[in-house]
Amino acid sequence: MAEAWIIDAVRSPRGRGKKDVGGLSGVHPQQLFGQVLEALRERNGFDPADVEDVIAGCVSAVGEQGACIGRNGVLAAGWDPRTASGVTLNRFCGSGQQAVNFAAMGVMAGQQDLVIGGGIESMSRVPMGAAGGGLDGADPQLAALHPVVPQGISADLIATLEGFSREDLDRYALQSQQRTAVAVKEGRFERSLIPVRDAAGQVVLEQDEHPRPGATLEALGQLQPSFEGLGASSSKTDPRTLDEKALSVYPQLDRIEHVHTAGNSSGIVDGAAAVLVGAPDFARAHGLKPRARIVATATAADEPVIMLTAPAPATRRCLERAGMAIGDIDLIEINEAFAAIPLKTMRDLDIDDERVNVNGGAIALGHPLGATGAMLLGTVLDELERRDLATGLVTMCIGGGMGIATIIERV
């Protein structure tokens, strides 16, 4: 099978995902995605006519993010409309990473020569849940078979089963903030980061807005649990509380300890990212210099009520496909959707945190749902280059009980 090369990766800053407050809230999501596409072209000098497809991850593909934002992003970039086609996909939080993996698959299969994978989520303009239906699509038969609960309750369920205390989660969150503060101070994100402009061409945001470098363990400890009230709620169609629904699948527990807060969970932000993937022969012929190759990709599934435990099985499958062991990986990005997720994944894979999320993660930076996976691929690649290391892994938990993983190697 042919190789797929990563030629380059760019991302926008992450802006606070609050209407009329965040630095990117005034930018239409089509324009935001179009700007990262155009930045990728400007940096690498490719002809948009050579791009065979643009694959965009987007979780809430409705309203301003509807109507196939993958294609509309191409048009918003100002490219000739007769150049790249576009498509939009939704694998929940893994959408941006899946978009890059699909781009790599097309190249590896010999069906495409140059593809862009990426993602977009403007959470200030199209908030979570805007698509309606919930994780089960408002299907009562499916809900009876799998009594899915909101992800925050699933995260608290994981923490309870694993014995992670509130202090464990807060300490991890503080480390994320501290590592991000160092990364920002040392300019570690600057290679991938592009400024975002408004319609008049003025820069509206050029740095991530969400980090809290002054965070302390004491301040984190004062925050109230985010999902305790939600867990005690019920619906008209099911008198059980959401906690009771989850416990019906995990009867070994007497209760769910609600330990996740706004401080040890990922932030709601806006952002977009794009990764240029090419075939080696095409890249050589067109003067495109590779930065890495995609070694292997994988997805995996797990029980949908606990929902967020599949990064480890996805990683194991990806490592097996690559003929590698976890010890062969130099740097690892585990998306910090909730603090319990990287803690459990590190425990499951028997890895220490010295090579995991070395520049912090979504707790500090935020999680623009459809874009995060593509952002993390750029983040790990930048850091591999900075440290002169070779191999990186990105893995994410995904709603509905899924996980995704990608292994890259510098070339």
Side-chain angles (χ1 to χ4, degrees):
M1 185 173 289
E3 285 191 347
W5 282 354
I6 294 178
I7 309 300
D8 201 6
V10 301
R11 71 169 178 92
S12 75
R14 294 169 173 92
R16 287 194 297 270
K18 295 184 178 180
K19 185 178 180 181
D20 301 326
V21 174
L24 299 180
S25 63
V27 181
H28 193 289
Q30 292 177 359
Q31 300 298 322
L32 181 57
F33 189 52
Q35 288 192 41
V36 296
L37 295 178
E38 177 59 8
L40 199 59
R41 185 202 65 77
E42 289 178 348
R43 282 170 45 138
N44 295 278
F46 61 81
D47 184 345
D50 290 330
V51 178
E52 296 180 62
D53 207 4
V54 172
I55 307 170
C58 184
V59 175
S60 296
V62 296
E64 293 182 334
Q65 292 182 162
C68 189
I69 198 167
R71 171 58 176 168
N72 285 344
V74 170
L75 300 177
W79 295 357
D80 188 315
R82 292 175 292 275
T83 59
S85 58
V87 65
T88 307
L89 66 87
N90 178 12
R91 196 190 283 280
F92 299 133
C93 295
S95 298
Q97 187 172 350
Q98 186 63 70
V100 179
N101 287 0
F102 277 160
M105 290 176 195
V107 171
M108 288 174 168
Q111 296 298 302
Q112 295 171 310
D113 287 324
L114 195 65
V115 189
I116 294 173
I120 168 69
E121 207 76 36
S122 179
M123 302 179 77
S124 64
R125 298 173 72 109
V126 187
M128 280 192 297
L135 289 166
D136 57 18
D139 178 355
Q141 289 180 279
L142 183 61
L145 185 63
H146 297 291
V148 175
V149 295
Q151 289 189 11
I153 294 173
S154 298
D156 285 339
L157 174 62
I158 291 168
T160 305
L161 286 166
E162 295 291 326
F164 297 141
S165 68
R166 168 68 182 272
E167 184 174 349
D168 292 333
L169 304 188
D170 285 350
R171 286 191 180 279
Y172 181 87
L174 181 61
Q175 176 181 271
S176 181
Q177 294 284 0
Q178 291 172 336
R179 288 181 172 182
T180 294
V182 172
V184 171
K185 182 178 180 180
E186 295 185 356
R188 297 184 188 180
F189 299 136
E190 290 180 2
R191 174 158 189 179
S192 293
L193 202 57
I194 65 147
V196 175
R197 301 176 184 274
D198 61 18
Q202 299 298 310
V203 172
V204 294
L205 192 65
E206 51 189 351
Q207 293 292 332
D208 297 305
E209 283 189 309
H210 193 267
R212 298 292 183 267
T216 64
L217 194 61
E218 293 72 23
L220 288 168
Q222 292 174 7
L223 297 174
Q224 295 300 307
S226 296
F227 308 105
E228 188 169 23
L230 184 62
S233 67
S234 60
S235 68
K236 294 179 181 179
T237 57
D238 191 335
R240 295 177 298 174
T241 67
L242 290 173
D243 277 2
E244 288 170 343
K245 288 173 66 175
L247 291 171
S248 71
V249 183
Y250 293 88
Q252 65 268 44
L253 295 178
D254 294 326
R255 55 174 283 131
I256 295 174
E257 299 294 337
H258 290 286
V259 286
H260 283 93
T261 70
N264 58 36
S265 306
S266 57
I268 294 173
V269 294
D270 303 336
V275 179
L276 183 64
V277 180
D281 288 347
F282 180 91
R284 293 187 190 102
H286 291 79
L288 298 173
K289 185 178 179 181
R291 296 175 61 192
R293 70 183 183 97
I294 295 180
V295 178
T297 72
T299 56
D302 210 338
E303 194 279 308
V305 174
I306 204 165
M307 194 180 313
L308 307 173
T309 52
T315 295
R316 293 190 187 103
R317 180 174 288 173
C318 198
L319 289 166
E320 182 180 1
R321 185 161 291 144
M324 301 172 74
I326 193 66
D328 298 324
I329 306 297
D330 293 318
L331 293 176
I332 301 165
E333 290 287 330
I334 304 170
N335 187 42
E336 297 174 354
F338 303 91
I341 308 310
L343 289 175
K344 176 171 173 55
T345 305
M346 287 188 284
R347 175 180 286 180
D348 289 350
L349 296 173
D350 192 24
I351 50 180
D352 62 75
D353 72 353
E354 291 305 309
R355 55 193 170 120
V356 175
N357 299 355
V358 296
N359 291 326
I363 289 172
L365 289 158
H367 177 21
L369 306 178
T372 302
M375 289 183 168
L376 293 181
L377 286 164
T379 296
V380 76
L381 177 53
D382 288 347
E383 191 62 15
L384 287 171
E385 292 173 342
R386 193 185 74 83
R387 297 187 182 210
D388 195 21
L389 298 174
T391 56
L393 166 78
V394 174
T395 187
M396 303 181 71
C397 62
I398 303 173
M402 296 184 285
I404 189 168
T406 308
I407 295 171
I408 67 170
E409 182 180 38
R410 287 177 60 205
V411 296

